[in-house]
Amino acid sequence: MPDRIRVSVDGRELELSNLDKVLYPAVGFTKGEVIDYYTRIAPVLLRHLEGRALTRIRYPNGVDAAGFFEKNTPASTPDWVHLERLPAPGSSTGRGELDYVVVDDLPTLVWLANLAALELHTPQWRVGRNGPKPPDFMVVDLDPGPPAGLSECCAVALLLRDRLAPDGLTAYPKTSGKKGMQLMCAVAGKQSAEEVSEYAKRVAEELERAEPKLVTSKMAKRLRPGKVFIDWSQNSAAKTTVTPYSLRAQPSPTVSTPLTWDEVESGGIVPADSTAPVVLDRVDRHGDLMAGLCEPGPRVPRPPRGTRR
C-alpha cells in the first residue's frame, strides 16, 4: 500500500498516511482499520462530539508505546477545521487559553483518526458564543476496586438508575472501554457545573450510606478494595469523559460501548464483546442507545433546605 494516499471526504481533500501501520499489535489492528471504524461509526458518534471542545489521546506508535494528551490544535491543522479559543484551567503549558478542535463533521473525524487520535474525550458542556455553556449532561464514573469488578459495577449502576429516576433523570449506561462503567444523564443545561457536581455527590453519598459494603463516594484508594467508587467529581467543568463509541488504548481495539439495561442486569459485557467490529454490528442492531443523551433533560434538584453544602 502506498505510504500516502489522497482521498475526498464530503468534499474535503485529505492525505492519509501509513494505513497499514499496526496500532494494536496484539491483534494486528491497523491505522487503516481505525480510520475505517471512525468513518463507519460517525453517524452515531458525531452527535456526541459536535459542539464540544475535544481532548485527544494520540498513539502514533501504537498502543504499546507511550501516547500523549492533546488539547491544543496540532500543527498543520487544515483551515476548514472548526477551532474554538477557550480558557484552559490547569494548563501544563502555562497558557491561559488554548485553540480546541471541535468535531462537527466527518472530514475532521477522519483527519484526527489519521493522526492516530485513538481516544476522544469531551466535556459535559458545549461551546457557546461567550465560551463554555452550562453542562447539558451529568456523568458518574463507576470504578471497581479489586476484587470488585464488572458485576459489582452493574449492581451499582442499577442502584443509581433507580435512585435518579424519581428526580426525573434517565440514566444511560456504557462501558468505559477499560475495567469500569459510566452512567450519563441529560440535564437542562441551565445550571452550573458546580451545582450538577454537588447533586451527583449527594446521590453518591446517599448510596454509600445505604450500601456501605458495596459503594464508596470517597476518592481515597485505600477505601476502594472490594467496592465501587462512584466518581461524582467527573462533573467538574475542567474534566472530560471518554466519548460514547470512542476507541480505547487497550491491547485490542475496545470501545466505550453503550449498553442496554438488560445487559446491565445480566452483568454487563466482557471486553471481547466491545471491540470496534462488534460495536459496529451492535449499532446496526440497536441504533444509538444513547441518543436520548442528545435531547434536553431536566434540572437537577437543589439540596433540601437546611442541608449543609
Side-chain angles (χ1 to χ4, degrees):
M1 184 176 294
D3 285 345
R4 297 178 179 274
I5 63 170
R6 295 200 66 82
V7 298
S8 177
V9 181
D10 287 353
R12 301 292 189 187
E13 295 297 318
L14 293 170
E15 185 176 81
L16 307 182
S17 62
N18 302 316
L19 296 182
D20 54 356
K21 185 172 185 176
V22 176
L23 297 184
Y24 291 85
V27 293
F29 202 78
T30 66
K31 188 164 83 165
E33 289 173 299
V34 167
I35 294 171
D36 177 70
Y37 168 73
Y38 274 127
T39 300
R40 294 169 63 191
I41 204 68
V44 293
L45 170 60
L46 285 173
R47 292 190 69 195
H48 299 284
L49 292 173
E50 63 184 3
R52 302 188 191 273
L54 183 69
T55 297
R56 293 85 63 198
I57 311 182
R58 290 173 56 185
Y59 291 86
N61 295 311
V63 297
D64 287 352
F68 60 94
F69 278 85
E70 186 175 64
K71 293 184 178 182
N72 202 33
T73 178
S76 304
T77 298
D79 59 9
W80 43 262
V81 170
H82 179 182
L83 302 179
E84 291 284 348
R85 181 160 294 179
L86 299 167
S91 170
S92 61
T93 66
R95 294 179 57 181
E97 294 182 321
L98 294 176
D99 292 320
Y100 287 83
V101 172
V102 180
V103 181
D104 293 326
D105 55 30
L106 179 58
T108 305
L109 183 61
V110 172
W111 166 67
L112 288 174
N114 185 59
L115 296 178
L118 301 184
E119 296 200 10
L120 309 176
H121 295 245
T122 40
Q124 290 80 275
W125 43 266
R126 296 179 187 269
V127 178
R129 289 184 179 180
N130 300 311
K133 295 180 178 181
D136 57 10
F137 70 79
M138 181 184 81
V139 60
V140 289
D141 192 58
L142 304 182
D143 186 7
L150 183 59
S151 62
E152 286 80 9
C153 284
C154 288
V156 174
L158 292 167
L159 292 173
L160 276 165
R161 177 196 65 180
D162 294 344
R163 169 60 187 83
L164 295 170
D167 289 340
L169 294 168
T170 300
Y172 297 91
K174 69 182 181 75
T175 71
S176 69
K178 293 186 176 180
K179 64 177 181 177
M181 289 178 60
Q182 285 135 6
L183 292 189
M184 303 174 78
C185 304
V187 298
K190 298 178 180 178
Q191 295 165 283
S192 69
E194 290 78 13
E195 191 169 353
V196 173
S197 187
E198 180 63 28
Y199 168 73
K201 181 181 180 182
R202 293 199 310 273
V203 170
E205 290 174 340
E206 182 181 320
L207 290 182
E208 181 181 34
R209 290 191 294 270
E211 299 285 346
K213 294 183 178 180
L214 179 61
V215 172
T216 179
S217 66
K218 300 176 180 65
M219 296 185 184
K221 291 192 175 181
R222 62 182 174 80
L223 301 175
R224 297 190 198 181
K227 299 182 181 182
V228 175
F229 171 44
I230 300 178
D231 189 354
W232 49 268
S233 72
Q234 284 295 114
N235 294 287
S236 164
K239 291 193 175 183
T240 61
T241 301
V242 64
T243 308
Y245 305 107
S246 170
L247 289 166
R248 302 307 304 268
Q250 296 292 287
S252 62
T254 57
V255 170
S256 184
T257 306
L259 302 173
T260 68
W261 279 111
D262 284 345
E263 288 172 324
V264 177
E265 290 171 354
S266 299
I269 60 175
V270 298
D273 292 330
S274 64
T275 59
V278 175
V279 168
L280 288 168
D281 289 340
R282 287 174 60 87
V283 171
D284 284 343
R285 296 198 310 272
H286 299 300
D288 182 7
L289 289 172
M290 304 192 91
L293 195 65
C294 302
E295 303 299 327
R299 297 176 69 94
V300 302
R302 292 181 174 176
R305 286 187 178 182
T307 300
R308 295 182 63 185
R309 298 185 64 179

